[in-house]
Amino acid sequence: MSGFPYADRYAVHRTLPEEGTAKEVVLDELAAMSAAENPTWEGGQCSGTMYCGDHDHYDYLNEAFSHFSYVNSLQRDMCPSSTKFEAEVIAMTLDLLGAAALTETTPAGLVTSGGSGSIAHAVLAYREHRPTSGRPNMIKPETAHPAFSKAGHLFGVEMRIAPVDPATTLVDLDWVADHVDENTVALIGSACNYGYGTVDPIGDLGALALDRGIGLHVDGCLGGFILPFGRELGYDIAPFDFSVPGVTSISADTHKYGYALKGTSVLCFADKALRNDQYFYLTDWSGGKYCSPGMDGSRSAGLLAATWAAMVHLGRSGYRRYAEQIFATSATMQAAVRSHDSLRIMGQPSFLFSFTSDEYDVYLVNDFLRTRGWRMNGQQYPNAIHMAVTRPQTQPGVAEKWALDLADAVEFALAHKDEPAKSGAIYGGVAGGMSEEADVFIKAVMADMMDQQSSIPAP
Ligand SMILES: *Cc1c(COP(=O)(O)O)cnc(C)c1O
């Protein structure tokens, strides 16, 4: 038997079957695979990724999706509803992110397929909006998401990587100021970053961007739909939205704390002109005049409908209520970390916290937590592990289980401090580069995801 997923239970399709399978059989298989996989996160022990975790909510979104799942939102004459959904999703997001403060420009937005999509469109917009004599560059804090580097790679924009303060994890402003030149099109800050859950000094970055006459993109992919409510609830989070002078665009993922289905994000622009500069048109194509607002061509109107449905159903009070539970749970879980002298929280986190140890490899803690069912995210330089608190962690008993399991994990780490950590080999930092081995490792991970068809037994 190959290791191919579910090969022991279901027919494996190496070719398109000549005769189709009955719908009930297909649906039963799908239901069974979903039911087998959902327990990996339903108990609340998985960091991030399942932001809402509420099956009633997912059923509601699926119903909203079903009304338009087959509609191409590019053909607007056939689906004026898409114009309503998209316009309202953008307007509500702009409003949430402080666009009312923009009195001299016309704010605008774009719905994209995810955080990486929003970031890519932002990088493209800055490149197109500010023609440079040399190769354009942007400056990103080391902690900013890899999607910026990916976009730079795709669009020929150099990413200058600014170091961060090891204690606060926040970007080194002097370094940024020293590295702006005539080809710099924009700066980047995160609110908050994925690794540590910390918020860069957006006010200072905005002042610098204004002073140099360049843009500032704030990556709110993770925080955009939860930090505004954290601020309302009184948590100590500095302003990061369009109310901060100098902020020219913000990405915010509806498919994370927006509690929508996977596959949407919103990119907000302080000024419509910036967005419009990344439009693509081909007006003299024999197939007809072509234009699309972003990189995608056909897009599912169902995702627009479901995103809209999530937002109008939850409303501010719904998002605030969820944020309140998440921030409170995160605080409880952080307190458990702080109760151990051998653990150190990185910087001033928010709903997402990260910790390391100066006494032992913190991946020893992770090794133990895995035996208790926890699925944390791993970091490097220094080795650290993080928990992005989502709604599944707010269920009764989860934070208490965290405190108990963490205490046992710390005891385990102290007792085994001279042994190598198992999970560290996969997630931890590799001393001294090792780029060739890393290359082999990454390709193996990709092959594991993409090339399993080669392990399907021949008929
Ligand atoms: C998730 C994330 C992204 C990228 O978003 P995808 O939806 O995974 O493409 C970018 N920035 C931050 C801070 C994120 O957490």
Side-chain angles (χ1 to χ4, degrees), residues 117-139:
S118 287
I119 286 169
H121 284 90
V123 171
L124 182 60
Y126 286 109
R127 186 194 78 179
E128 296 299 290
H129 190 65
R130 298 189 93 255
T132 50
S133 54
R135 183 177 176 205
N137 70 71
M138 290 174 72
I139 304 180

Side-chain angles (χ1 to χ4, degrees), residues 25 48 83 85 155 187 189 193 228 256 266 275 319 323 356 369 395 402 417 430 453:
V25 174
T83 300
F85 303 146
F155 301 137
L187 307 178
N193 58 54
K256 290 182 180 158
V266 183
R275 179 198 64 187
Y319 283 106
T356 185
L369 288 173
Q395 299 171 93
W402 165 255
K417 64 197 308 179
V430 178
Q453 92 278 2

Side-chain angles (χ1 to χ4, degrees), residues 178-356:
D178 287 347
H179 288 77
V180 175
D181 63 19
E182 69 281 5
N183 294 319
T184 305
V185 292
L187 307 178
I188 293 159
S190 304
C192 53
N193 58 54
Y194 168 83
Y196 305 117
T198 51
V199 179
D200 280 312
I202 303 301
D204 295 328
L205 287 169
L208 179 61
L210 279 177
D211 181 53
R212 306 295 175 93
I214 57 179
L216 169 61
H217 180 82
V218 174
D219 183 14
C221 280
L222 197 55
F225 280 92
I226 184 167
L227 291 179
F229 298 102
R231 280 174 54 77
E232 280 184 21
L233 291 163
Y235 286 92
D236 180 16
I237 303 160
F240 60 87
D241 63 11
F242 288 119
S243 65
V244 179
V247 174
T248 47
S249 58
I250 308 177
S251 45
D253 287 356
T254 33
H255 73 185
K256 290 182 180 158
Y257 291 97
Y259 310 117
L261 291 177
K262 286 288 184 253
T264 60
S265 168
V266 183
L267 173 57
C268 295
F269 295 94
D271 189 0
K272 194 184 276 191
L274 179 59
R275 179 198 64 187
N276 291 1
D277 280 344
Q278 58 80 56
Y279 282 161
F280 177 80
Y281 321 113
L282 189 62
T283 49
D284 57 356
W285 181 41
S286 59
K289 291 191 179 19
Y290 185 91
C291 62
S292 60
M295 281 184 281
D296 292 325
S298 301
R299 286 191 298 148
S300 170
L303 282 178
L304 289 176
T307 302
W308 177 86
M311 294 176 77
V312 297
H313 169 64
L314 287 170
R316 291 191 78 98
S317 66
Y319 283 106
R320 193 182 302 112
R321 187 169 67 246
Y322 290 171
E324 188 169 11
Q325 295 162 354
I326 288 170
F327 272 90
T329 302
S330 182
T332 305
M333 294 176 81
Q334 287 176 45
V337 176
R338 290 185 210 279
S339 73
H340 298 285
D341 291 340
S342 62
L343 297 177
R344 174 164 64 83
I345 293 219
M346 314 281 291
Q348 188 201 327
S350 49
F351 55 90
L352 184 161
F353 62 90
S354 167
F355 58 96
T356 185

Side-chain angles (χ1 to χ4, degrees), residues 103-174:
T103 49
E104 278 154 40
T105 54
T106 308
L110 198 62
V111 177
T112 72
S113 61
S116 301
S118 287
I119 286 169
H121 284 90
V123 171
L124 182 60
Y126 286 109
R127 186 194 78 179
E128 296 299 290
H129 190 65
R130 298 189 93 255
T132 50
S133 54
R135 183 177 176 205
N137 70 71
M138 290 174 72
I139 304 180
K140 77 160 199 172
E142 192 282 327
T143 47
H145 197 275
F148 290 101
S149 300
K150 184 196 271 186
H153 166 73
L154 291 171
F155 301 137
V157 175
E158 180 197 350
M159 280 296 146
R160 297 190 171 166
I161 313 296
V164 300
D165 181 301
T168 65
T169 78
L170 303 182
V171 68
D172 179 340
L173 286 164
D174 292 336

